[in-house]
């Protein structure tokens, strides 16, 4: 039950070879951590897996379909319906309330306002964030904001959540809370998580760690 599969993916930015043949399989509901030094190609691999960056070579398959075979429009649509995203700095929309931020992906998927708000409220409650619905991101703590970002990533019931250094801007206690929340909520929903981190403590929340180095993936077992 491989859900997402990158095979020998290559990507260059001008003279910089960001990916030089990276391969990865993600099973449904599996939490995979991409580890490795800065500049190794982790974010580029995440972006290729998520259909945000088009590889120069190799293939990315999601649910059996080659992402390169989809139109831009179909890829965008797939990202909205099947994928969720958490970034290092929550990237909440500052003008919107926390509830509006969580409801936004549903609105973008055509869910009506009242229904979207209802689901957003339930999502916040599930993540123990009741009470901050009406606050703007600038009015909550960094840890709360990042938990709101987790709520926003999960509200559409995605099959894969992509998280790029989701705890990078947090202290270790808040970082652990966010990882606990993200992995527990994802496992409850049988959503896979592809996580980029350089912190072993964060990667410890995964089922499997994959090392990226010089644009190539290697299993941690093999590296040991
Ligand atoms: P990591 O996430 O492991 O730090 P990245 O995937 O961000 O690595 O970057 C891999 C390499 O590709 C680096 O040398 C980086 O500078 C380069 N790179 C990444 N994105 C771009 C871009 N949009 N334009 C130019 N170079 C890029
Ligand atoms: P960008 O400015 O990167 O093009 P978008 O126009 O795609 O951003 O989205 C506007 C805001 O909505 C961004 O802050 C983005 O983080 C947020 N957002 C939340 N969920 C989604 C989603 N499922 N699809 C697109 N944008 C989303």
């Amino acid at each position: 039950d491989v859900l997402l599969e990158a095979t020998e993916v290559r990507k260059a930015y001008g003279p910089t070879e960001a990916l030089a043949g990276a391969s990865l399989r993600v099973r449904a509901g599996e939490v995979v951590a991409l580890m490795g030094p800065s500049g190794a190609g982790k974010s580029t691999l995440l972006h290729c897996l998520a259909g945000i960056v088009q590889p120069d070579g190799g293939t990315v398959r999601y649910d059996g379909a080659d992402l390169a075979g989809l139109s831009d429009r179909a890829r965008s649509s797939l990202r909205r319906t099947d994928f969720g995203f958490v970034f290092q700095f929550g990237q909440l929309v500052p003008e919107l309330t926390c509830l509006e931020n969580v409801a936004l992906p549903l609105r973008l998927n055509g869910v009506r306002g009242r229904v979207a708000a209802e689901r957003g409220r339930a999502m916040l409650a599930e993540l123990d964030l009741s009470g901050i619905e009406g606050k703007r991101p600038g009015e909550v703590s960094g840890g709360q904001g990042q938990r709101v970002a987790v709520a926003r990533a999960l509200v559409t019931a995605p099959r894969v959540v992509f998280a790029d250094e989701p705890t990078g801007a947090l202290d270790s206690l808040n970082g652990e809370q966010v990882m606990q929340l993200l992995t527990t909520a994802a496992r409850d929903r049988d959503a896979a998580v592809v996580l980029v981190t350089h912190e072993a403590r964060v990667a410890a929340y995964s089922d499997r760690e994959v090392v990226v180095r010089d644009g190539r993936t290697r299993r941690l077992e093999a590296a040991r």
Side-chain angles (χ1 to χ4, degrees):
D1 52 345
V2 174
L3 184 58
L4 192 56
E5 182 171 29
T7 308
E8 289 293 311
V9 169
R10 283 176 284 114
K11 178 71 188 179
Y13 294 103
T16 306
E17 199 173 34
L19 292 177
S23 300
L24 179 71
R25 286 178 171 183
V26 182
R27 285 162 199 85
E30 186 181 31
V31 180
V32 177
L34 301 180
M35 302 275 297
S38 179
K42 304 182 295 295
S43 291
T44 304
L45 178 55
L46 186 96
H47 291 150
C48 288
L49 288 166
I52 295 167
V53 163
Q54 305 321 311
D56 300 330
T59 55
V60 177
R61 289 182 168 274
Y62 170 72
D63 214 2
D66 186 344
L67 291 189
L70 302 179
S71 64
D72 287 352
R73 195 191 170 97
R75 268 195 303 271
S76 308
S77 167
L78 181 69
R79 281 199 297 273
R80 281 201 309 273
T81 57
D82 285 39
F83 299 164
F85 294 90
V86 184
F87 302 99
Q88 176 167 6
F89 302 101
Q91 296 193 352
L92 301 173
V93 182
E95 295 81 10
L96 300 182
T97 65
C98 287
L99 177 57
E100 287 166 344
N101 267 284
V102 173
L104 182 62
L106 294 170
R107 299 289 287 142
L108 293 171
N109 281 344
V111 176
R112 291 177 60 186
R114 193 180 306 180
V115 176
E118 214 46 60
R119 287 193 207 156
R121 202 178 288 281
M123 191 73 229
L124 284 169
E126 191 190 323
L127 301 192
D128 270 329
L129 289 165
S130 291
I132 66 163
E133 291 87 349
K135 294 191 174 172
R136 293 182 205 286
E139 299 170 327
V140 302
S141 72
Q144 281 176 326
Q146 203 59 338
R147 281 148 67 200
V148 171
V150 170
R152 183 180 63 181
L154 288 167
V155 76
T156 55
R159 295 182 69 194
V160 187
V161 176
F162 294 95
D164 198 345
E165 299 275 7
T167 65
L170 302 176
D171 62 38
S172 59
L173 181 64
N174 276 301
E176 302 240 347
Q177 272 185 10
V178 164
M179 282 313 299
Q180 185 71 51
L181 196 70
L182 171 60
T183 52
T184 303
R187 286 186 175 113
D188 284 351
R189 290 169 167 69
D190 206 28
V193 178
V194 181
L195 162 77
V196 165
T197 183
H198 56 265
E199 292 181 77
R201 201 173 39 216
V202 171
Y205 285 88
S206 71
D207 299 317
R208 190 157 60 90
E209 298 176 19
V210 173
V211 175
V212 183
R213 191 158 285 154
D214 298 329
R216 291 191 172 82
T217 39
R218 34 182 98 171
R219 286 235 164 65
L220 190 61
E221 299 83 41
R224 266 178 184 150

